[in-house]
Amino acid sequence: MSVGATASGMSGDPYKLGYSHHGHLEPGTDEATGHGEGGPASKRIVVAYGFWIFLLSDIIMFSAFFASYAVLSGATAGGPTGRELFDLPRVAIQTLCLLTSSFACGLAAIATRLRNHLWTQIGLLVTGLLGVVFLALEFQEFTTMIAQGAGPSRSAFLSSFFALVGCHGLHVTAGLLWLGTMMAQVFVKGFQPPILRRLMCFSLFWHALDIIWVALFSVVYLIGAYS
Amino acid sequence: MNPSSNTRDDQRDLAPGDELITDGDVASGLLGYVIGFVLALGLTACSFYVAGSDLIWKPGIPTGLIVLAVAQMGVHLVFFLHITTSPDSTNNVLALAFGVLIVVLVIGGSLWIMAHLDHNMMPMDKLMEIQR
């Protein structure tokens, strides 16, 4: 802000790179984005940024699975195609479960910001239950397909399908285990800074899984079932 | 350490997932999630409807579905993960941009190369004759 600039006499530093809130300005009056004198970011920022990098690398790993599925989706080796196998009403319910689960996770994050134990736990519980329903439906789908003789060893298309969708399912499973751990930790230890950081990372993870599912139901199920 | 986070330090940078709102301002945070949820539901419904109908030109349906999916991913990023264009979120956006670049290279490159290989490959019956 101009107040800060005139106070410090540094009008030659339009981006205020050398002046952070630790410097000469009144706290809250500057809009410095640089950290010339500010020192390192807080641990909360560092942890979340590192986890964001992990999520992006996880998404890149998924992109390799998507690429192999896209390449192999026509290689059915005379076996069943997606049009015959995919049950779209179930996929719609799965999508609804995961989307609502993500929403509940966001509500739990708001309750956490308010330091409200009850609503945090309720939000996390709803998140987890919807995740369990999602996984149960996916398990049912896989067992039905394998019982029809359309297991991962039937064709290259089915191998890549099970690898891609199964990898997402494994992520959801891991997320549910993490969710249970977080509920126990919030219950036992309360809202300590390390717990808050873990909760933040968990909600990032859960939202990222929902993003991957959006790509999955569009590319695999909808395009696969109608083309 | 102060149990209530969001100290002044944290308001200079935004962690992914953080919103630029104060603790008292719950209603706007809630509203963000509700808007995101409604938009995502709408886009999902559009995808499922478009896929099965002849609302758009048949050969264009896969492209339409991918466009809807990308739009929905954008909604999720902005309203759920709070990756926005605010100046405090620059690092997060740049990391995301790099991730998207790699994803496009991996998927687009694979499809491109494999389509060419497929095109250049000898038809399967001829290949069988040679091997016999």
Side-chain angles (χ1 to χ4, degrees), chain B residues 46-65:
Chain B
C46 280
S47 291
F48 274 85
Y49 178 71
V50 160
S53 75
D54 45 8
L55 190 68
I56 57 178
W57 186 52
K58 272 268 187 262
I61 286 179
T63 315
L65 287 174

mmCIF file of all heavy atoms in Angstrom, chain B residues 46-65:
data_model
loop_
_atom_site.group_PDB
_atom_site.id
_atom_site.type_symbol
_atom_site.label_atom_id
_atom_site.label_comp_id
_atom_site.label_asym_id
_atom_site.label_seq_id
_atom_site.Cartn_x
_atom_site.Cartn_y
_atom_site.Cartn_z
ATOM 1 N N CYS B 46 -24.983 -33.070 -16.890
ATOM 2 C CA CYS B 46 -24.821 -32.778 -18.322
ATOM 3 C C CYS B 46 -24.056 -33.906 -19.012
ATOM 4 O O CYS B 46 -24.459 -34.381 -20.079
ATOM 5 C CB CYS B 46 -24.056 -31.475 -18.521
ATOM 6 S SG CYS B 46 -25.039 -30.019 -18.335
ATOM 7 N N SER B 47 -22.935 -34.328 -18.391
ATOM 8 C CA SER B 47 -22.125 -35.388 -19.008
ATOM 9 C C SER B 47 -22.960 -36.633 -19.230
ATOM 10 O O SER B 47 -22.969 -37.203 -20.322
ATOM 11 C CB SER B 47 -20.937 -35.733 -18.113
ATOM 12 O OG SER B 47 -20.024 -34.691 -18.079
ATOM 13 N N PHE B 48 -23.674 -37.061 -18.181
ATOM 14 C CA PHE B 48 -24.435 -38.310 -18.296
ATOM 15 C C PHE B 48 -25.567 -38.153 -19.303
ATOM 16 O O PHE B 48 -25.891 -39.088 -20.027
ATOM 17 C CB PHE B 48 -24.976 -38.728 -16.921
ATOM 18 C CG PHE B 48 -23.995 -39.541 -16.125
ATOM 19 C CD1 PHE B 48 -23.026 -38.917 -15.363
ATOM 20 C CD2 PHE B 48 -24.028 -40.922 -16.151
ATOM 21 C CE1 PHE B 48 -22.108 -39.658 -14.641
ATOM 22 C CE2 PHE B 48 -23.110 -41.671 -15.430
ATOM 23 C CZ PHE B 48 -22.147 -41.034 -14.672
ATOM 24 N N TYR B 49 -26.150 -36.941 -19.365
ATOM 25 C CA TYR B 49 -27.249 -36.741 -20.303
ATOM 26 C C TYR B 49 -26.743 -36.694 -21.738
ATOM 27 O O TYR B 49 -27.273 -37.388 -22.618
ATOM 28 C CB TYR B 49 -28.001 -35.448 -19.952
ATOM 29 C CG TYR B 49 -29.118 -35.156 -20.920
ATOM 30 C CD1 TYR B 49 -30.268 -35.944 -20.925
ATOM 31 C CD2 TYR B 49 -29.016 -34.119 -21.836
ATOM 32 C CE1 TYR B 49 -31.284 -35.706 -21.828
ATOM 33 C CE2 TYR B 49 -30.029 -33.883 -22.737
ATOM 34 C CZ TYR B 49 -31.161 -34.675 -22.730
ATOM 35 O OH TYR B 49 -32.158 -34.445 -23.631
ATOM 36 N N VAL B 50 -25.677 -35.908 -21.957
ATOM 37 C CA VAL B 50 -25.143 -35.733 -23.312
ATOM 38 C C VAL B 50 -24.662 -37.059 -23.883
ATOM 39 O O VAL B 50 -24.854 -37.359 -25.064
ATOM 40 C CB VAL B 50 -23.999 -34.695 -23.288
ATOM 41 C CG1 VAL B 50 -23.112 -34.833 -24.505
ATOM 42 C CG2 VAL B 50 -24.586 -33.303 -23.235
ATOM 43 N N ALA B 51 -24.056 -37.898 -23.010
ATOM 44 C CA ALA B 51 -23.479 -39.153 -23.495
ATOM 45 C C ALA B 51 -24.544 -40.045 -24.120
ATOM 46 O O ALA B 51 -24.283 -40.731 -25.113
ATOM 47 C CB ALA B 51 -22.781 -39.881 -22.358
ATOM 48 N N GLY B 52 -25.761 -40.038 -23.543
ATOM 49 C CA GLY B 52 -26.768 -40.970 -24.013
ATOM 50 C C GLY B 52 -27.768 -40.385 -24.989
ATOM 51 O O GLY B 52 -28.569 -41.121 -25.551
ATOM 52 N N SER B 53 -27.738 -39.078 -25.199
ATOM 53 C CA SER B 53 -28.761 -38.469 -26.046
ATOM 54 C C SER B 53 -28.167 -38.117 -27.408
ATOM 55 O O SER B 53 -26.967 -38.241 -27.634
ATOM 56 C CB SER B 53 -29.276 -37.189 -25.399
ATOM 57 O OG SER B 53 -28.316 -36.172 -25.539
ATOM 58 N N ASP B 54 -29.029 -37.685 -28.317
ATOM 59 C CA ASP B 54 -28.498 -37.168 -29.578
ATOM 60 C C ASP B 54 -28.632 -35.651 -29.608
ATOM 61 O O ASP B 54 -28.951 -35.055 -30.623
ATOM 62 C CB ASP B 54 -29.192 -37.821 -30.777
ATOM 63 C CG ASP B 54 -30.694 -37.874 -30.586
ATOM 64 O OD1 ASP B 54 -31.171 -37.261 -29.608
ATOM 65 O OD2 ASP B 54 -31.374 -38.519 -31.407
ATOM 66 N N LEU B 55 -28.398 -35.060 -28.448
ATOM 67 C CA LEU B 55 -28.456 -33.605 -28.329
ATOM 68 C C LEU B 55 -27.365 -32.953 -29.160
ATOM 69 O O LEU B 55 -27.594 -31.932 -29.812
ATOM 70 C CB LEU B 55 -28.297 -33.208 -26.853
ATOM 71 C CG LEU B 55 -28.558 -31.761 -26.502
ATOM 72 C CD1 LEU B 55 -30.019 -31.422 -26.661
ATOM 73 C CD2 LEU B 55 -28.117 -31.463 -25.089
ATOM 74 N N ILE B 56 -26.164 -33.540 -29.143
ATOM 75 C CA ILE B 56 -25.093 -33.018 -29.993
ATOM 76 C C ILE B 56 -24.717 -34.085 -30.995
ATOM 77 O O ILE B 56 -25.003 -35.263 -30.815
ATOM 78 C CB ILE B 56 -23.853 -32.557 -29.185
ATOM 79 C CG1 ILE B 56 -23.293 -33.688 -28.338
ATOM 80 C CG2 ILE B 56 -24.181 -31.377 -28.315
ATOM 81 C CD1 ILE B 56 -22.056 -33.280 -27.587
ATOM 82 N N TRP B 57 -24.062 -33.619 -32.050
ATOM 83 C CA TRP B 57 -23.628 -34.451 -33.163
ATOM 84 C C TRP B 57 -22.875 -35.673 -32.626
ATOM 85 O O TRP B 57 -21.937 -35.554 -31.851
ATOM 86 C CB TRP B 57 -22.724 -33.590 -34.036
ATOM 87 C CG TRP B 57 -22.268 -34.203 -35.306
ATOM 88 C CD1 TRP B 57 -23.048 -34.779 -36.245
ATOM 89 C CD2 TRP B 57 -20.923 -34.261 -35.779
ATOM 90 N NE1 TRP B 57 -22.259 -35.195 -37.284
ATOM 91 C CE2 TRP B 57 -20.967 -34.892 -37.029
ATOM 92 C CE3 TRP B 57 -19.698 -33.826 -35.273
ATOM 93 C CZ2 TRP B 57 -19.825 -35.114 -37.787
ATOM 94 C CZ3 TRP B 57 -18.562 -34.042 -36.011
ATOM 95 C CH2 TRP B 57 -18.629 -34.684 -37.262
ATOM 96 N N LYS B 58 -23.274 -36.862 -33.050
ATOM 97 C CA LYS B 58 -22.739 -38.106 -32.484
ATOM 98 C C LYS B 58 -21.209 -38.164 -32.429
ATOM 99 O O LYS B 58 -20.652 -38.432 -31.370
ATOM 100 C CB LYS B 58 -23.277 -39.311 -33.277
ATOM 101 C CG LYS B 58 -24.613 -39.827 -32.751
ATOM 102 C CD LYS B 58 -24.392 -40.925 -31.712
ATOM 103 C CE LYS B 58 -25.722 -41.556 -31.325
ATOM 104 N NZ LYS B 58 -26.276 -41.012 -30.088
ATOM 105 N N PRO B 59 -20.501 -37.932 -33.582
ATOM 106 C CA PRO B 59 -19.035 -38.056 -33.499
ATOM 107 C C PRO B 59 -18.401 -37.013 -32.584
ATOM 108 O O PRO B 59 -17.241 -37.147 -32.206
ATOM 109 C CB PRO B 59 -18.576 -37.845 -34.945
ATOM 110 C CG PRO B 59 -19.771 -38.149 -35.767
ATOM 111 C CD PRO B 59 -20.944 -37.727 -34.970
ATOM 112 N N GLY B 60 -19.162 -35.973 -32.218
ATOM 113 C CA GLY B 60 -18.601 -34.943 -31.350
ATOM 114 C C GLY B 60 -18.792 -35.227 -29.876
ATOM 115 O O GLY B 60 -18.309 -34.469 -29.035
ATOM 116 N N ILE B 61 -19.486 -36.321 -29.556
ATOM 117 C CA ILE B 61 -19.800 -36.590 -28.151
ATOM 118 C C ILE B 61 -18.548 -36.790 -27.293
ATOM 119 O O ILE B 61 -18.453 -36.191 -26.227
ATOM 120 C CB ILE B 61 -20.772 -37.785 -28.051
ATOM 121 C CG1 ILE B 61 -22.168 -37.334 -28.482
ATOM 122 C CG2 ILE B 61 -20.829 -38.323 -26.632
ATOM 123 C CD1 ILE B 61 -23.202 -38.425 -28.444
ATOM 124 N N PRO B 62 -17.551 -37.617 -27.746
ATOM 125 C CA PRO B 62 -16.354 -37.759 -26.894
ATOM 126 C C PRO B 62 -15.690 -36.420 -26.580
ATOM 127 O O PRO B 62 -15.322 -36.154 -25.429
ATOM 128 C CB PRO B 62 -15.437 -38.654 -27.730
ATOM 129 C CG PRO B 62 -16.362 -39.456 -28.566
ATOM 130 C CD PRO B 62 -17.498 -38.541 -28.893
ATOM 131 N N THR B 63 -15.568 -35.561 -27.603
ATOM 132 C CA THR B 63 -14.968 -34.252 -27.367
ATOM 133 C C THR B 63 -15.793 -33.448 -26.371
ATOM 134 O O THR B 63 -15.259 -32.836 -25.445
ATOM 135 C CB THR B 63 -14.857 -33.476 -28.694
ATOM 136 O OG1 THR B 63 -14.345 -34.354 -29.686
ATOM 137 C CG2 THR B 63 -13.959 -32.291 -28.554
ATOM 138 N N GLY B 64 -17.127 -33.487 -26.558
ATOM 139 C CA GLY B 64 -17.993 -32.763 -25.634
ATOM 140 C C GLY B 64 -17.834 -33.262 -24.210
ATOM 141 O O GLY B 64 -17.776 -32.465 -23.262
ATOM 142 N N LEU B 65 -17.728 -34.584 -24.052
ATOM 143 C CA LEU B 65 -17.570 -35.153 -22.707
ATOM 144 C C LEU B 65 -16.254 -34.717 -22.085
ATOM 145 O O LEU B 65 -16.199 -34.404 -20.882
ATOM 146 C CB LEU B 65 -17.636 -36.679 -22.779
ATOM 147 C CG LEU B 65 -19.022 -37.254 -23.028
ATOM 148 C CD1 LEU B 65 -18.943 -38.758 -23.219
ATOM 149 C CD2 LEU B 65 -19.932 -36.933 -21.858
#
